[in-house]
Amino acid sequence: MQHEETTAAPDREAIGRHRVLFRTVHRRKNPRLRQSDITISEEQAVKRAVKATALGNAMEWFDFGVYAYLAVTIGQVFFPSGNPTAQTLSSLATFAAAFLVRPIGGAFFGPLGDKVGRKKILALTMIMMASATLAIGLIPSYATIGIWAPILLIVCRMVQGFSTGGEYGGAATFIAEYAPDKRRGFWGSFLEFGTLIGYTAAATLVTTLTMLLSDDAMHSWGWRVPFLVAGPLGLIGLYLRMKLDESPAFRKLEEGGGPGDVREKKSFKDSFVGQWRAMLLCIALVAAFNITDYMLLSYMPTYLTDLGFGETGGLMSIVVVMLILMALINSVGRLSDRIGRKPVLMAGSMGFIVLAVPSFLLIKQGGTVPVFAGLLILGLALVCYLGAMSSSLPALFPTDVRYSSLSIGFNISVSLFGGTTPLVVAALISKTGNDLMPAYYTMLAGAVGLLAVLAMKETARRPLEGSPPSVATEEEARELVEAQR
């Protein structure tokens, strides 16, 4: 201790004798912001970016939602007749198979997004996703072409998964880099708003077809209609994305070092190994987020059907819950800007730990009111994740590797934990005979989320790492510069 005091004293004395010199060195290491350094994100430009990105995300999850809600029918159409449980499990396994290639898609598209820009890659993933979904609606049944039916289905699902590997990381990055620092939570919440729109549209369309068509008609051709809708939706999303400018943070990065520097200096090692701490945190957060997300929005229709609850009633209950979440999600995003990401995410994690079992006990009772109440309780916990996650995840990584690092980490986690949720839970119930296994799995996800939130840094109202501050107006920029004096 004495040694530390004797070494510290001369430092203070030196600073006192050479105050100007030390101040000059400090300023060179930490130069003051100039107004030209600050990114000004005008609201109209942010709105255009959010609209195009969220619509693409909505289309992506419309495609995945349609498959999840038609899992039982798809199992009957594309797999050999016999054991209905085996058909459903085969269909869910095909659903999960798409997630196995998502990390490959993330590793492919993410680095490209950091090299050539976010906009071009997001347009490419949109084309691939829409084309693969449209193709599923055109595949003949197992009764028509035999084993080729499930093979072609798996190929299309793989293309969906590969393209989706570059979608979320790019979309979250794009919005985060467009949004002002003080409103990143609010604008980021629109990405998950798009997710809910996609799921809601899928559930509504499937429910409407189920109500209007006979079982034979639905099995024969009705199930194809939602997949065929993906074609025109994809064209609309592509048009909106192609009209966007590149994100301000990426433009600043190119202006600072030139695009050539980004291409030459950054590699897979920089994106993955060099960001391993942030990557582990991302994987944990995404695991908690996606297990609970897929539990409620993808697996729940199958769970309700297995419990004997009417398919139409179950889907309508989920639709109403999603509409409520859509009404709340932007307020939750705004709240995360005000009080921080960590308190909001912690509330969601605690909600799943404490309320999962009571929620599933309500759902098991059957009846419209208990089922709806159980779903709503789970939904209110989930909306805390939905409102804050899209702004929390991009802030974990620096700008020059954000797209690639987020895409790789996000998709590794989704592949291992998210997309497998319906299959894992169905298998656990089949193995144990315990209908509360989904609740226990949800509690485990909430516990993982809680630990991850405790380990993360607060990023609300702060600039993204590797980027200058971003504000909404010239006046805010002047205030930032003057605050340094």
Side-chain angles (χ1 to χ4, degrees), residues 247-328:
S247 77
F250 187 79
R251 293 201 304 269
K252 287 275 187 182
L253 188 67
E254 287 190 312
E255 291 167 4
D261 293 344
V262 177
R263 292 184 178 91
E264 293 170 6
K265 293 181 180 179
K266 300 304 170 185
S267 63
F268 179 82
K269 183 178 180 180
D270 295 305
S271 302
F272 188 72
V273 180
Q275 297 292 325
W276 69 270
R277 289 184 180 87
M279 191 75 70
L280 288 176
L281 190 56
C282 175
I283 290 171
L285 287 169
V286 174
F289 174 36
N290 274 264
I291 287 173
T292 52
D293 192 19
Y294 283 97
M295 184 74 71
L296 180 62
L297 302 183
S298 294
Y299 174 70
M300 197 55 68
T302 303
Y303 182 71
L304 292 173
T305 301
D306 290 343
L307 288 178
F309 193 70
E311 184 176 357
T312 301
L315 282 175
M316 288 307 299
S317 295
I318 294 172
V319 167
V320 174
V321 169
M322 286 192 288
L323 290 173
I324 294 173
L325 300 190
M326 288 168 63
L328 295 175

Side-chain angles (χ1 to χ4, degrees), residues 5-88:
E5 291 176 355
T6 56
T7 54
D11 290 342
R12 288 195 294 268
E13 292 175 5
I15 292 173
R17 290 195 304 268
H18 306 286
R19 192 176 301 277
V20 175
L21 174 61
F22 277 93
R23 186 183 298 122
T24 301
V25 171
H26 177 76
R27 285 179 177 175
R28 287 185 178 179
K29 291 182 178 179
N30 304 277
R32 287 186 175 184
L33 279 173
R34 298 167 298 176
Q35 194 161 330
S36 59
D37 295 328
I38 300 171
T39 300
I40 299 174
S41 300
E42 296 180 355
E43 187 162 337
Q44 289 302 316
V46 177
K47 284 182 178 179
R48 286 195 300 271
V50 169
K51 184 190 302 181
T53 310
L55 179 62
N57 203 51
M59 198 210 84
E60 172 192 343
W61 295 112
F62 171 84
D63 299 342
F64 275 76
V66 163
Y67 190 101
Y69 297 137
L70 290 171
V72 175
T73 302
I74 289 173
Q76 296 168 353
V77 171
F78 285 99
F79 296 94
S81 60
N83 188 338
T85 301
Q87 286 183 324
T88 301

